[in-house]
């Protein structure tokens, strides 16, 4: 009598239960991919055996394959919790050893590197000295904590409506005397050191029809000794850009040792003169003060943007994704990480959204793809299989006992 078939069935059922138990244990592990036990039958072939008379020797576990199906995505409150919606894996480095993971629970370590919960550094495409993304080999992503440098104002534009019903002011222009100008507005501009200065513009209606003089002050001090320009309007109230010669250019001097561009252009294109109240409809300038890093944001293409206290943003790097010709050929290493093997093929590195790589979702995590209901059903089936194989051994034992007892 042979107990081989029943014993192999017990081993296979036990291995199946091991896989199911591991799946159930990791049902709440972020980025976990469930395993599946796969089996194959066993036969002993000899030259003398007839194919139809061959009895199998039982079953063997051929492999335990990883199922890289998409897990559910759950939102969180951390911008560095990142879920992959689609194919691909994160590339991480631990002291030079490369691994891959679907667990996007990232954080910033004391040196500014983006790391996993185990301390492995997340790889991607860093920025160069000019702030542009590099497209070469991926490297450890590091967030710069340096202040963003200030930018002096190099252009200024204002869009307003001047009230054509205004009367001509009397007396020479004085910025401290509201009776000497018709309307005024102010905007902050920035010098080379990032200091803010109040740049005020004063509009004075002249005795000439459809014509206004423009004066300016910087921090209360008049710019130049007269007007910085003159606005002339057409009969329909639109700006005559030829006669007005916009944009005007002014030379500004800061009183703190900083500088402004030699000739700052001030554009009034689009300004109108209608019979309605004065209004400043738009005012823009391109300067800003120095800023400190206040937060991070990651877009769907993996670009990490740093937000600064001056309202500016700056690219800090881009997260890379990796895929393989045979994902199931990857070797699990624990800690939610896999490494490449000869079966998986070489890694194919790209940016999120490119080729067959998925998009990223910031402030979210990918849950385990374990279906607990299905696993509990599989557990019942594996238990029954174990019992059935144990029964075959018991039956074989009874038959053997009967043979031994023959007289």
């Amino acid at each position: 009598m042979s107990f081989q078939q029943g014993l192999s069935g017990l081993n296979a059922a036990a291995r199946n239960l091991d896989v199911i138990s591991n799946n159930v244990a990791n049902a709440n592990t972020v980025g976990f991919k469930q395993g599946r036990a796969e089996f194959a039958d066993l036969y002993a072939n000899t030259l003398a055996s007839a194919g139809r008379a061959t009895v199998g020797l039982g079953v063997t576990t051929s492999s335990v394959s990883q199922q890289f199906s998409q897990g559910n995505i759950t939102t969180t409150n951390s911008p560095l919790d990142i879920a992959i919606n689609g194919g691909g894996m994160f590339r991480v480095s631990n002291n030079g050893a490369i691994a891959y993971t679907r667990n996007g629970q990232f954080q910033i370590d004391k040196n500014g590197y983006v790391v996993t919960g185990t301390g492995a550094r997340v790889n991607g495409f860093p920025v160069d000295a000019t702030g542009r993304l590099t497209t070469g080999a991926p490297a450890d992503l590091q967030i710069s904590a340096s202040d963003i440098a200030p930018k002096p104002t190099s252009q200024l534009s204002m869009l307003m409506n001047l009230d054509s019903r205004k009367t001509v002011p009397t007396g020479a222009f004085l910025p401290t005397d509201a009776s000497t100008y018709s309307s005024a507005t102010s905007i902050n501009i920035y010098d080379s050191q990032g200091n803010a200065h109040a740049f005020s513009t004063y509009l004075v209606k002249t005795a000439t029809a459809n014509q206004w003089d423009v004066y300016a002050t910087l921090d209360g001090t008049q710019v130049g000794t007269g007007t910085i320009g003159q606005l002339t309007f057409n009969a329909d109230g639109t700006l005559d850009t030829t006669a007005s010669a916009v944009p005007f250019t002014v030379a500004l001097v800061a009183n703190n040792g900083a500088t402004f561009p030699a000739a700052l252009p001030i554009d009034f294109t689009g300004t109108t003169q209608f019979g309605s109240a004065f209004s400043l409809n738009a005012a823009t300038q391109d300067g800003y003060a120095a800023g400190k890093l206040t937060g991070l944001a990651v877009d769907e293409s993996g670009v990490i943007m740093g937000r600064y206290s001056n309202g500016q943003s700056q690219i800090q790097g881009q997260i890379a994704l990796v895929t393989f010709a045979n994902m199931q050929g990857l070797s699990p290493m624990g800690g939610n990480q896999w490494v490449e093997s000869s079966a998986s093929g070489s890694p194919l590195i790209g940016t999120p959204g490119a080729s067959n790589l998925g998009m990223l979702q910031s402030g979210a995590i990918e849950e385990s793809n374990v279906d607990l209901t299905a696993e509990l059903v599989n557990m019942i089936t594996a238990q029954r299989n174990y019992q059935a194989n144990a029964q075959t051994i018991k039956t074989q034992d009874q038959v053997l006992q009967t043979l031994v007892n023959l007289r």
Side-chain angles (χ1 to χ4, degrees):
M1 293 295 170
S2 173
F3 294 92
Q4 181 64 39
Q5 292 90 339
L7 182 60
S8 68
L10 288 178
N11 289 334
R15 188 66 182 273
N16 194 19
L17 282 171
D18 288 343
V19 174
I20 294 171
S21 298
N22 186 60
N23 290 341
V24 172
N26 286 282
N28 291 322
T29 301
V30 173
F32 176 78
K33 298 303 176 185
Q34 67 177 350
R36 183 180 68 189
E38 298 177 352
F39 305 102
D41 52 5
L42 289 174
Y43 282 87
N45 295 319
T46 65
L47 292 175
S49 65
R52 281 187 272 179
T54 303
V55 177
L57 298 180
V59 64
T60 185
T61 304
S62 59
S63 67
V64 177
S65 63
Q66 300 278 304
Q67 305 301 301
F68 285 92
S69 59
Q70 178 74 47
N72 293 329
I73 292 180
T74 302
T75 57
T76 68
N77 293 323
S78 173
L80 284 181
D81 281 345
I82 302 172
I84 303 174
N85 193 354
M89 306 184 79
F90 299 111
R91 184 181 192 264
V92 298
S93 171
N94 192 352
N95 295 323
I98 303 300
Y100 308 93
T101 183
R102 291 279 295 195
N103 185 347
Q105 293 175 302
F106 302 143
Q107 53 192 296
I108 306 297
D109 69 7
K110 64 180 181 180
N111 296 315
Y113 288 98
V114 183
V115 297
T116 66
T118 60
R121 294 176 178 177
V122 179
N123 289 175
F125 304 106
V127 294
D128 59 20
T130 63
R132 284 188 248 176
L133 286 170
T134 61
T135 56
D140 298 341
L141 289 177
Q142 186 176 25
I143 305 301
S144 173
S146 301
D147 291 357
I148 188 172
K151 180 181 183 299
T153 300
S154 62
Q155 57 184 12
L156 173 63
S157 65
M158 296 184 183
L159 177 63
M160 61 185 71
N161 177 68
L162 306 181
D163 190 350
S164 63
R165 301 168 299 180
K166 287 279 189 178
T167 59
V168 177
T170 58
F173 167 74
L174 285 174
T176 56
D177 186 354
S179 65
T180 62
Y181 54 87
S182 305
S183 302
T185 187
S186 182
I187 185 176
N188 278 343
I189 62 174
Y190 296 88
D191 62 26
S192 59
Q193 296 176 0
N195 300 299
H197 299 267
F199 183 82
S200 300
T201 306
Y202 302 84
L203 293 307
V204 180
K205 188 175 184 179
T206 69
T208 303
N210 300 325
Q211 193 174 84
W212 297 66
D213 287 337
V214 183
Y215 296 85
T217 63
L218 183 68
D219 296 330
T221 301
Q222 185 171 348
V223 176
T225 57
T227 65
I228 63 171
Q230 198 170 68
L231 297 176
T232 301
F233 296 90
N234 300 309
D236 62 357
T238 58
L239 184 65
D240 185 343
T241 55
T242 302
S244 301
V246 290
F248 305 146
T249 56
V250 296
L252 302 179
V253 178
N255 56 8
N256 57 355
T259 60
F260 286 101
L264 177 65
I266 306 174
D267 196 359
F268 289 88
T269 301
T271 293
T272 56
Q273 179 198 239
F274 296 144
S276 57
F278 169 80
S279 62
L280 179 64
N281 301 320
T284 59
Q285 59 86 36
D286 62 348
Y288 48 81
K292 295 186 177 297
L293 184 66
T294 59
L296 297 171
V298 183
D299 67 14
E300 61 182 11
S301 64
V303 174
I304 304 174
M305 298 294 296
R307 296 193 304 269
Y308 293 83
S309 57
N310 58 0
Q312 300 299 307
S313 59
Q314 192 174 76
I315 297 177
Q316 296 278 354
Q318 184 178 24
I319 297 173
L321 290 184
V322 179
T323 189
F324 295 84
N326 177 22
M327 294 287 289
Q328 291 186 338
L330 293 171
S331 299
M333 298 298 293
N336 295 330
Q337 295 182 3
W338 288 263
V339 296
E340 67 176 284
S341 68
S342 58
S344 67
S346 299
L348 305 174
I349 304 173
T351 57
S355 186
N356 58 344
L357 297 173
M359 306 296 288
L360 301 187
Q361 183 174 339
S362 177
I365 56 174
E366 181 189 6
E367 297 178 352
S368 164
N369 65 350
V370 173
D371 184 343
L372 272 179
T373 301
E375 293 300 322
L376 293 176
V377 173
N378 292 337
M379 189 183 300
I380 296 172
T381 303
Q383 181 184 10
R384 294 305 182 194
N385 288 339
Y386 195 94
Q387 291 172 337
N389 282 282
Q391 190 64 35
T392 65
I393 294 177
K394 181 179 178 181
T395 302
Q396 292 273 23
D397 178 58
Q398 291 173 345
V399 172
L400 181 60
Q401 184 65 35
T402 300
L403 289 176
V404 170
N405 291 336
L406 287 177
R407 302 193 186 273

